[in-house]
Amino acid sequence: MKHFLSIILFFCISQCFGQVYNCSNPSIPAFKNFFCKLENSSNPPPVFWSFESGDWDETSTWVGGVVPTNNSVVIIKADHVVRIKTELNTNIKLMDVWGTLRMAYNASTQLNVETIQIVPGGAFKIGYPSNPVGEDFTATVNFTHDNTNIDDNYYDPLRISRGFLSHKDAVVRVYGSSKEKSKITINDAVTISNQITTTEAVPSSWNDGDAIVIPGTVFQRNATFELEDELRLLNGEPTTNSLTLNSNPIHDHIRIADNNGNKFDLHAANLTRNVIFKTKNPQPHLTTYIMHRRGHVMFMGNGDVIIENALFKDLGRTNKAKPLNDYKITGPNTLVEGTNLNTRGRYAVHFHQNNYSYTNDNDLITKIQNENMAQVKGCVVWGTPGWGFVNHSSYVNFEDNVAYDFTGSGFVTESGDEIGNFTNNIAIGGRGDGKYRDIRLNFNNHERPLPLSDFGFSGDGFWFQGPMIKVNQNIAASCNGAGMIWFSIGGIDVPTMNFYGAKINIAQEVYGGLNNGQGYLFDKDGSCEGEDLKYLKKYHFDGFVGPMFQPRKWAHSDEIFLADLPIIECNDFEAYGCLAGFRIRFNNAPSNFIFNDFGVNYFGYNSDLISTDGSNDHRSANRVYQSISNLKLWNNETGFRNRYSTNTNVNNVTIANEVQYDEIIPKKGLETDHRVENYFYCNTEVSGYALANDVLEDFPENDCDLYAATFDNPTSVVKST
């Protein structure tokens, strides 16, 4: 956190119109290198300071009586409120908001800016709770690029600029016009008609011209097969139970029924919002060079955030189609050549460690829980190469949101210590990295080895790295990964690493780097070789064998391991047209189940841990039972896949399929595979799969009981070896 906060800009600069940033000022933060280089460039930007509260286009608002010009730096001073009431055409290079920047709710507004940051004490506001941006107006923030600076590591080696950044103690309030519901249920959409009837009333706020996406209902594992989600516009005002599209679908979107003849739900999601954050003029080719021009949105240490009914379009530049390549820094912000080609943490909507306040005693980072729960409701992420909505060590309520057309994952918790809610959201169109993985997402994946925490790259609807969140009434459709996966082992951004007794402080934001600027623990190819290893051996210990991370503990307690914790709530989930409907791995599981690629205990458990039940399993706790209820999983290649999990009641699960898959590998409705203990499936129905219930016998401790189970073919209830 300390690293990112150091980016706060321009403090104590001389308050004169047009004065170029003076990087020699001794009160400038340590991250001044970027701006010193700008100052010393051939065309340094002028700096404009607010003089008093007022409208942006009024000369009296600005020191010197001149409105900011193109390619300038703008600073809104504390206690000043600057109001944007028109669509500005000026392109601002950088903006610091120490006071308040407000965009009008009763007029169409636009701000073109490369980087805007809301510093501690500052505020960014669009609309009011009782007066959101009116239906007839739009408020747009365009993230611009000048084709040079962000692409040149000389200026910004960490590549955190270009986007919206808010910091601890800042306030963000965004209120767009409500669509009432982000999605509704519909009847079949077929190729012969542009008319779709709905099974619930169409909201009155869905209008002519709105962008609508209909998920695909069929999944095929085929390199030439495209996901069948379809984007259309509404043609004319909808009626109470009917939508008219601007053209016919090119695929049939057909609901199927369970054994009792009850059809599953199909959905249409509305992507249109009148508050818009987007990359201006995004390029169609997602090359590394072009990717770096995309904006991103990050709320850093900031829980005082409410965003309702906003669209985040073409944002994020962490590319999950490729392995991560984080930055390595030597000297004062000097980037090591060949690194920072694909840095993590630059997502479309990213809450970064707002769950805690931080104190640093140069040994451990102390976390104090934040009382503010950030709110994101009725929003849309549309088109991102990485992750959509991200809770990273934060406290967030994600409700009634849509993630569409994402490469990595639609909704994510990143480190495992997250708290908050995911309620009534839908993820559609998870593209993935072009590979289909039944198992071994990171284990034995040499491109993305487990210790580097490069996960969520398969096009998963929901990826949860920790269990302590409430997840209810969500939907995933048309995804090349899992509809929902619980992989609750935590992340690696812990304050220390344990190397067989030698503790090393690491930079919180480098994710495996070292505080002294030596960079990665691992080389970019994931190996422990080269200069990094030589440094560790020389300065910290000899006889290095392999990495063993400090136990991934629940950040709210030093006594609890993440893998010991149960899922708080997971109810009413539906997935269709995905590689797997629902997956669970390393959850609520005994510690001795889990090992890393190097053959050492990845989670830091060791022989000193004594089981509370007196056994020799060295389990750190007696796990409580968790409950997962009301799952509807249809037309997924695999319905429910379970590995490395214990003590779970799974209630009311319906799994069905009508897709003819390649039967070289029999497709499974319900799979229990590898060290699953004390699982109880109650009211389970499986139909349409070659194997209805597959329990792997290689692990005799697999213990699963079925109560009130219904299978379309009783002979398909098997235990395989």
Side-chain angles (χ1 to χ4, degrees), residues 14-27:
S14 175
Q15 300 182 22
C16 298
F17 155 69
Q19 176 172 340
V20 174
Y21 169 72
N22 181 7
C23 72
S24 62
N25 189 310
S27 63

Side-chain angles (χ1 to χ4, degrees), residues 1 4 298-302 345 350-355 358 390-394 414 493 508-509 511:
M1 192 67 222
F4 278 117
M298 182 186 290
F299 307 99
M300 296 180 283
N302 178 14
H350 178 194
F351 286 85
H352 181 81
Q353 298 177 339
N354 78 15
N355 199 355
Y358 289 82
V390 182
N391 179 343
H392 178 189
S393 297
S394 293
E414 188 168 2
D493 51 335
Q508 187 78 6
E509 308 309 334
Y511 297 83

Side-chain angles (χ1 to χ4, degrees), residues 504 514 521 532-541:
I504 306 169
L514 302 172
L521 167 63
D532 295 339
L533 178 57
K534 292 178 182 177
Y535 176 86
L536 290 173
K537 284 184 175 181
K538 180 177 180 181
Y539 291 102
H540 293 284
F541 59 90

Side-chain angles (χ1 to χ4, degrees), residues 209-329:
D210 282 1
I212 304 296
V213 62
I214 303 170
T217 58
V218 173
F219 174 84
Q220 289 284 358
R221 186 192 295 224
N222 189 317
T224 63
F225 181 83
E226 296 287 339
L227 293 174
E228 292 187 352
D229 45 86
E230 298 194 58
L231 181 65
R232 294 292 185 272
L233 301 179
L234 291 183
N235 185 14
E237 297 297 331
T239 62
T240 302
N241 289 104
S242 178
L243 303 174
T244 302
L245 308 180
N246 63 327
S247 63
N248 293 8
I250 62 175
H251 303 288
D252 287 331
H253 303 256
I254 305 296
R255 299 180 297 157
I256 68 172
D258 62 19
N259 280 344
N260 296 317
N262 300 311
K263 286 195 172 184
F264 296 98
D265 288 332
L266 177 63
H267 303 85
N270 193 318
L271 306 182
T272 296
R273 301 294 185 272
N274 67 343
V275 173
I276 305 161
F277 297 81
K278 66 185 180 73
T279 299
K280 188 175 183 180
N281 301 323
Q283 303 295 317
H285 303 293
L286 297 181
T287 63
T288 298
Y289 178 78
I290 297 300
M291 193 74 70
H292 294 160
R293 299 179 181 180
R294 298 170 65 95
H296 70 115
V297 174
M298 182 186 290
F299 307 99
M300 296 180 283
N302 178 14
D304 200 358
V305 176
I306 299 176
I307 304 176
E308 296 184 1
N309 307 305
L311 167 63
F312 299 86
K313 182 76 164 62
D314 297 320
L315 296 179
R317 55 178 178 266
T318 300
N319 184 4
K320 281 295 180 174
K322 300 179 179 180
L324 291 176
N325 180 287
D326 290 311
Y327 54 77
K328 293 173 71 173
I329 303 296

Side-chain angles (χ1 to χ4, degrees), residues 553-583:
K553 293 182 179 179
W554 174 236
H556 308 266
S557 169
D558 289 334
E559 305 302 322
I560 301 174
F561 296 107
L562 280 173
D564 284 325
L565 293 171
I567 294 170
I568 293 296
E569 288 183 14
C570 181
N571 303 304
D572 303 300
F573 176 65
E574 183 170 5
Y576 53 93
C578 301
L579 174 67
F582 189 91
R583 297 187 67 173

Side-chain angles (χ1 to χ4, degrees), residues 105 386 461 469 501 544 572:
Y105 71 93
I469 50 177
F544 178 79
D572 303 300

